Structures are given as C-alpha cells and as structure tokens.
Amino acid sequence: MLTRVRTCVTVAVTACVVVLPTACAPSPPPEPVVVEASVAATKAPAPAPAAPAPVDLAALPVVDPVTVVPGLPGTDGLEQRRNDDPALGTWQTATVVRDTAGYDAVDGTPVGRVPAVTLDVPTVLPVLDQRGGWLRVLVASRGALPSQDPAQVNGRTAWIRAEDTAPSGTDWRLHLDLAARTLTIEQGEATQTVPVIAVGAPDTPTPPVPQFVVGSQWEQPGTYTPRVLLLSSQSETIDAYDGNTGTSATAIHTTPFARTGAISNGCIRVSDEVLDLLWDKVPAGTVLTVS
C-alpha cells in the first residue's frame, strides 16, 4: 500500500514539472491586418491668422529717443537675427515704411507708435525675433527714466507687423571694450580695432547693453560734439543732460578735447580719423555691444 502511494506522488510531481513550462510559452503573434482600400481624407487650408484690431496711432506715444514709453518689453536675452536672405546683409534689420503700432507681445497690447522717420532719418531697427507676420525689433526709446527704474531705460523692444516694413540688413557689427578703451569694427570679413578717446565716467557709465546706430549724419559745428553717430541707448544714471531734448542720449562722436579716459556722460569720444571709418558708411540698425 505504501508503495502505491509513493508512486502516485511521483507521477503527480512529474506532471507538474511538465505542465508549467508549457503554460509559460508565448502565444503565436496575430496575423497582420492588411487594408487594401485607399483612405480618402478631405484637406482644408489652415485659416489665416486674424489681423490685429485697428489702432488709433495718434493716441499712442512715439517710440523715439525723445519719448519715454512705458510698457515696452526687454530683449529677454535675444540677439540680432541673422538674415534669412544673406544678400541683404548678414544681420537682419527692418526698415519701417509707414508709422505702425508697437506691441508688447504678438497679438498683445499696443504701447507705442513706431515712426517711419526718427529724428529726420529713416527708421531702421535690428530684428531679434520673427513669428509669422510679426517682427520683434530693438527700439530707441526709454521705457522709464533712470530715477524711476534704471533697468527699464535701455534694451527695449516692440513687436511690429512685418507688412509695415521693408526687409533690410547690415554686414556691420561694433564692439566697445571699456577696459581697453577700444572699438572693434566688423564689416563682413574685415575687422579692425581702433582706440577711443573717452568713455563714460564711473558715475555716468556708458550703458553696458546691446544698442544700435540710429543715424550717422548729425553735424554740429562749433559744439563739443562736431560730428555725431547717435546710438539708441541713454544714460542709466541721468534723467536728462540735454536741455533742448530732455534726453540723456549717448553717441559716438568727435571732440575738440584731448583729455582721455572714463570721463564722459556715457558717450564714446573718438578722433576724426576713427569717425571717418564710420561716418556715412555704417548703416542705421547696426548693433553695438559693450563689455
């Protein structure tokens, strides 16, 4: 009797050992489903983006060096775009062909009127970003006075409609080295570094922000600044040192004074020989960086 029980146990265990591997075996893959009939889908063009609502330009402050325009956004760390069409110049600019609204964002709130002419010269602005029919441009207007908020003075931008501009560009770039007191001029593949006579004093430093050439043909004979390349930046410590315009605009200009060093109100003083390299040559919209 005992022998028969042991035989049954042995058989049962053997059966389990055989069954378990069989239960774990993978199932065969399903047969692929082949759809032989073509699938027709109706394609419709994407709807055009809605045009911005009409804006009363006359009710907006002018975006220019003379006017403080609150609400202009900063650069958000963006730099000038390279041109999609290099034939226009390496760096992208936009020439404003008609007065247009400047917005704080794409489809945002209009905060100023960007004019086609700034201080008697065509308005040409560096392009930082491009989205659809919108351009984000660096502008030559203060967002606040230094006594209000120094961080809002320079580096202001606006979104404008590309349809109100003509594509343009520049092969020029400028860089000011404050410590070395040198100006590096890049024109395409050609680069040269030249000395400057003076830069901003410690209490009235040259603004250390990306800025651009507004225009290059202001002659003021008999003054301390006989020839002026106006820049888009203004002093971040002085509300106004020019009584006629109420501005603290900076510029690259010649000077009758021989004194050198960090002594100006923020302007970059150069010799006549250095200004000759730029005068009537460097295009408006050319960016100047400072370090």
Side-chain angles (χ1 to χ4, degrees), residues 220-244:
Q220 304 178 72
T223 70
Y224 294 150
T225 55
R227 289 192 294 164
V228 175
L229 259 66
L230 183 65
L231 298 172
S232 63
S233 69
Q234 299 197 38
S235 172
E236 296 179 354
T237 61
I238 307 173
D239 283 357
Y241 58 70
D242 186 329
N244 293 328

Side-chain angles (χ1 to χ4, degrees), residues 172-176 183-187 211-213 229 231 252 278 282 286-290:
W172 293 66
R173 297 276 280 184
L174 306 175
H175 178 73
L176 176 67
L183 181 68
T184 298
I185 304 169
E186 298 180 13
Q187 185 185 4
Q211 49 202 278
F212 64 94
V213 176
L229 259 66
L231 298 172
I252 303 173
L278 305 171
V282 58
T286 294
V287 166
L288 165 75
T289 54
V290 180

Side-chain angles (χ1 to χ4, degrees), residues 199-201 204-207 235 237-238 241 248-250 263-267 269:
V199 295
T204 56
T206 300
S235 172
T237 61
I238 307 173
Y241 58 70
S248 56
T250 62
I263 56 176
S264 78
N265 282 333
C267 288
R269 300 180 188 175

Side-chain angles (χ1 to χ4, degrees), residues 77-174:
L78 296 174
E79 298 179 351
Q80 187 176 22
R81 290 184 83 245
R82 288 184 176 269
N83 239 326
D84 296 328
D85 181 2
L88 294 173
T90 304
W91 305 101
Q92 184 177 358
T93 61
T95 300
V96 181
V97 297
R98 63 183 67 88
D99 288 10
T100 187
Y103 294 76
D104 60 0
V106 172
D107 296 321
T109 302
V111 294
R113 171 167 56 91
V114 180
V117 175
T118 299
L119 302 180
D120 300 325
V121 298
T123 302
V124 183
L125 306 171
V127 177
L128 308 187
D129 198 1
Q130 181 172 315
R131 299 184 191 178
W134 293 87
L135 301 174
R136 188 174 189 175
V137 293
L138 195 61
V139 296
S141 189
R142 293 184 287 183
L145 296 174
S147 59
Q148 298 168 330
D149 186 354
Q152 296 288 318
V153 172
N154 294 310
R156 300 297 93 192
T157 68
W159 287 94
I160 61 176
R161 297 295 294 173
E163 64 189 17
D164 293 325
T165 71
S168 53
T170 174
D171 287 321
W172 293 66
R173 297 276 280 184
L174 306 175

